[in-house]
Amino acid sequence: EHEVKCLSIIVLGASGDLAKKKTFPALFHLFQQGFLQENDVHIFGYARTKLSDDDLRERIRGYLSHKSSSGQTEVLSRFLQLIKYVSGSYDSEDGFQLLNKEISEHEISKNSQPGTSRRLFYLALPPSVYPSVCRMIRRYCMNQSDLGGWTRIVVEKPFGKDLKSAEDLSAQLGELFDEQQLYRIDHYLGKELVQNLLVVRFANRFFLPLWNRDNIDNIQIVFREDFGTEGRGGYFDEYGIIRDIIQNHLLQVLCLVAMEKPVSLKPEHIRDEKVKVLQSVLPIKLEEVVLGQYEGYKDDSTVSDSSNTPTFATVILRIDNERWEGHNFHLLDLSMCKKQGRNELVIRLQPSEAMYMKLTVKKPGLEMSTIQSELDLSYGLRYQDVKIPEAYERLILDTIRGDQQHFVRRDELRVAWEIFTPLLHRIDAGQLEPISYKPGSRGPAEADELLAKAGYVQTHGY
Ligand code: BG6
């Protein structure tokens, strides 16, 4: 019997932005809360830049210490001591052999037989290098599951640019690793209120019979951001708002709002239902799409002068199944209603997590008249002492625990691309022009008109 204990977390792309802003802070928070134990965890940074262990530690310290409160310095120093750095390129045999040597030495120093320990590879890298990095990991850095060890790979979008490129990438990774070893992050699935959706839907008796086309007029999934490209223009211009946000984050939210009750809470059962609801989405009609591009977008020097990349989109999706047939989901934009006396359930993921239900009540006072009011669950007020975990923290912990519920399965990814690929190809071919709108506004007026045409009147502004 081998004791499987020692955990190595390898952050590839350790000197980059994602690692600095998301991965290392998430690891630090897990460490602070005792989820990563000094006596069995080691963290390896790997990247091309030539750095010493201390150089990397100081970079991370610089970022974390201005974020965390004083008094954390001691914990932070202990955390940084767990980090080692190995430099090498992403297709270098020598680099990955060296990385493996370092990890193995660490494992031996922890009295763990090489092969029996746990290795988590976090690819904080552009997807173009996923195949070569995965090939190197597969060849040089694997643990043997027959000895009780495991190797898990965390990757993050963009997973391709359309159905075909995503399928190619999936096939390449699929040749190297089993689906159980691949953790495709969509960080929206790690957000507190997203994780709450299934609980609210299925653990509250009064919602169960109401959650369908007979009682729900329409559902809007709205995402707004109040800043522009901010140095990411090169990336964004190639992808656009549909690939950056809608095809992944918002579609994941849609799945959780619209899916049927899973057979059990096992990750595979939940993911099966998500796939089914995506398969029920009808082809998008071009006349039910409004695209926008904010004024000044092309002033960004990394954006092409002739760019027709949308920075805004309203898309109506129709789900053709027994629960929803004939009912609409608006992705990205605006709350509307068409009936008087309706109730509205608002689930606000961010900022300021909240859930509230609008209802009609008697206006307090001597008069008998009615007003709209709210049953309000604002997390900041109700759970003042609870620190809501960062999405990445939770998802890394899930990876260590081997729970794939909040990760995107290969077939789920494929259907998500199937939904948006025809529209994206039209946009890429220049057949759909985005309409110009003012930054900070509600987007093009045409988006409101589209929803009005679909029969909704606006009740409150976002
Ligand atoms: C990322 C997108 O996936 O999500 C970014 O690439 C976007 O463009 C971000 O800003 C939004 O995430 P959050 O957690 O801030 O809503």
Side-chain angles (χ1 to χ4, degrees):
E1 278 297 299
H2 298 276
E3 198 195 353
V4 183
K5 200 161 185 289
C6 180
L7 171 65
S8 298
I9 298 175
I10 302 100
V11 181
L12 298 130
S15 57
D17 223 39
L18 177 66
K20 183 176 84 175
K21 289 193 180 141
K22 300 289 182 192
T23 322
F24 285 116
L27 291 173
F28 175 55
H29 293 140
L30 289 175
F31 177 76
Q32 263 181 320
Q33 297 167 78
F35 288 111
L36 301 179
Q37 296 285 340
E38 258 152 326
N39 52 9
D40 66 7
V41 175
H42 218 85
I43 300 170
F44 296 86
Y46 184 94
R48 283 175 309 192
T49 324
K50 293 247 178 300
L51 296 175
S52 68
D53 293 347
D54 280 337
D55 291 339
L56 179 65
R57 291 172 185 156
E58 287 319 306
R59 281 188 182 205
I60 299 168
R61 185 198 298 279
Y63 188 74
L64 282 177
S65 53
H66 86 262
K67 300 222 113 191
S68 55
S69 52
S70 52
Q72 297 295 325
T73 17
E74 195 264 332
V75 193
L76 181 54
S77 298
R78 278 179 22 229
F79 169 73
L80 293 174
Q81 282 314 305
L82 301 178
I83 302 176
K84 273 186 84 80
Y85 183 73
V86 178
S87 128
S89 66
Y90 298 119
D91 55 0
S92 144
E93 313 223 331
D94 292 349
F96 281 85
Q97 277 170 330
L98 179 62
L99 179 61
N100 185 57
K101 184 167 155 282
E102 296 277 346
I103 304 171
S104 302
E105 278 171 11
H106 156 66
E107 289 170 347
I108 291 164
S109 78
K110 299 282 179 193
N111 295 322
S112 177
Q113 295 285 327
T116 66
S117 56
R118 303 173 290 169
R119 295 182 176 188
L120 190 166
F121 290 87
Y122 193 108
L123 274 58
L125 291 169
S128 53
V129 299
Y130 289 176
S132 74
V133 167
C134 286
R135 226 173 292 121
M136 290 295 144
I137 296 173
R138 170 86 218 168
R139 200 171 299 158
Y140 298 112
C141 306
M142 289 292 281
N143 262 334
Q144 286 152 274
S145 55
D146 53 343
L147 296 180
W150 55 246
T151 303
R152 294 183 183 144
I153 313 287
V154 179
V155 284
E156 187 157 0
K157 71 157 214 324
F159 304 119
K161 294 190 74 179
D162 61 2
L163 180 59
K164 164 117 190 14
S165 50
E167 283 284 274
D168 288 348
L169 181 61
S170 290
Q172 292 188 53
L173 301 193
E175 272 171 24
L176 300 165
F177 297 105
D178 294 340
E179 186 61 25
Q180 286 67 33
Q181 296 177 297
L182 287 171
Y183 287 71
R184 293 181 198 85
I185 281 201
D186 182 309
H187 78 283
Y188 268 57
L189 293 176
K191 289 183 188 271
E192 183 69 32
L193 265 76
V194 175
Q195 298 212 337
N196 205 355
L197 285 169
L198 293 189
V199 179
V200 167
R201 282 191 58 193
F202 296 120
N204 291 293
R205 215 185 164 100
F206 70 99
F207 277 141
L208 289 169
L210 292 180
W211 207 274
N212 56 47
R213 60 180 177 174
D214 298 329
N215 302 292
I216 296 182
D217 188 45
N218 67 88
I219 296 178
Q220 291 106 40
I221 302 169
V222 183
F223 171 94
R224 287 197 72 179
E225 230 167 27
D226 57 2
F227 51 86
T229 48
E230 295 193 343
R232 293 170 81 229
Y235 155 79
F236 190 88
D237 201 45
E238 203 185 323
Y239 286 86
I241 196 70
I242 295 177
R243 292 183 174 99
D244 191 43
I245 301 286
I246 303 185
Q247 180 269 350
N248 34 67
H249 303 328
L250 301 195
L251 215 45
Q252 285 295 329
V253 173
L254 179 145
C255 285
L256 297 169
V257 172
M259 67 186 241
E260 295 300 313
K261 189 172 183 171
V263 178
S264 80
L265 289 179
K266 291 203 182 100
E268 295 320 324
H269 286 154
I270 292 175
R271 300 198 294 178
D272 288 346
E273 292 305 331
K274 288 167 69 183
V275 172
K276 283 190 218 158
V277 78
L278 290 177
Q279 285 169 331
S280 313
V281 173
L282 292 172
I284 295 170
K285 294 187 193 145
L286 290 186
E287 61 274 21
E288 296 194 329
V289 176
V290 172
L291 305 176
Q293 186 185 76
Y294 66 80
E295 283 169 19
Y297 171 70
K298 286 184 269 203
D299 297 346
D300 182 324
S301 60
T302 55
V303 167
S304 127
D305 289 341
S306 58
S307 168
N308 74 340
T309 300
T311 60
F312 171 103
T314 292
V315 181
I316 297 181
L317 294 187
R318 297 173 188 276
I319 297 182
D320 187 16
N321 65 15
E322 211 178 321
R323 182 184 294 274
W324 298 115
E325 193 201 1
H327 286 256
N328 306 338
F329 285 72
H330 306 295
L331 288 187
L332 215 77
D333 211 75
L334 318 182
S335 185
M336 305 277 154
C337 84
K338 66 178 174 189
K339 295 188 185 80
Q340 286 299 314
R342 88 220 189 291
N343 300 110
E344 202 173 298
L345 173 66
V346 179
I347 299 174
R348 188 164 65 222
L349 310 186
Q350 60 195 33
S352 316
E353 290 85 350
M355 198 180 299
Y356 54 93
M357 174 104 96
K358 297 200 174 176
L359 67 175
T360 305
V361 296
K362 181 188 158 307
K363 186 174 178 192
L366 288 174
E367 300 297 322
M368 183 39 123
S369 59
T370 61
I371 48 166
Q372 283 278 305
S373 199
E374 297 95 30
L375 287 178
D376 184 358
L377 175 60
S378 290
Y379 275 46
L381 294 174
R382 185 71 171 78
Y383 303 115
Q384 282 176 9
D385 302 330
V386 184
K387 182 193 153 288
I388 295 186
E390 270 278 326
Y392 282 91
E393 239 170 280
R394 200 172 335 229
L395 296 175
I396 292 175
L397 194 58
D398 283 350
T399 311
I400 297 170
R401 290 172 170 165
D403 181 346
Q404 291 192 306
Q405 174 180 338
H406 304 294
F407 294 83
V408 183
R409 207 166 63 182
R410 181 173 171 175
D411 51 348
E412 211 178 324
L413 180 66
R414 190 189 56 238
V415 197
W417 276 117
E418 274 169 8
I419 294 172
F420 283 102
T421 295
L423 172 63
L424 288 165
H425 282 175
R426 293 282 190 120
I427 299 171
D428 294 346
Q431 293 167 7
L432 279 177
E433 281 295 321
I435 302 162
S436 179
Y437 64 95
K438 292 221 176 320
S441 72
R442 293 160 46 79
E446 284 81 348
D448 286 352
E449 286 158 20
L450 169 67
L451 297 181
K453 220 165 71 198
Y456 306 110
V457 285
Q458 190 199 342
T459 55
H460 63 84
Y462 273 102

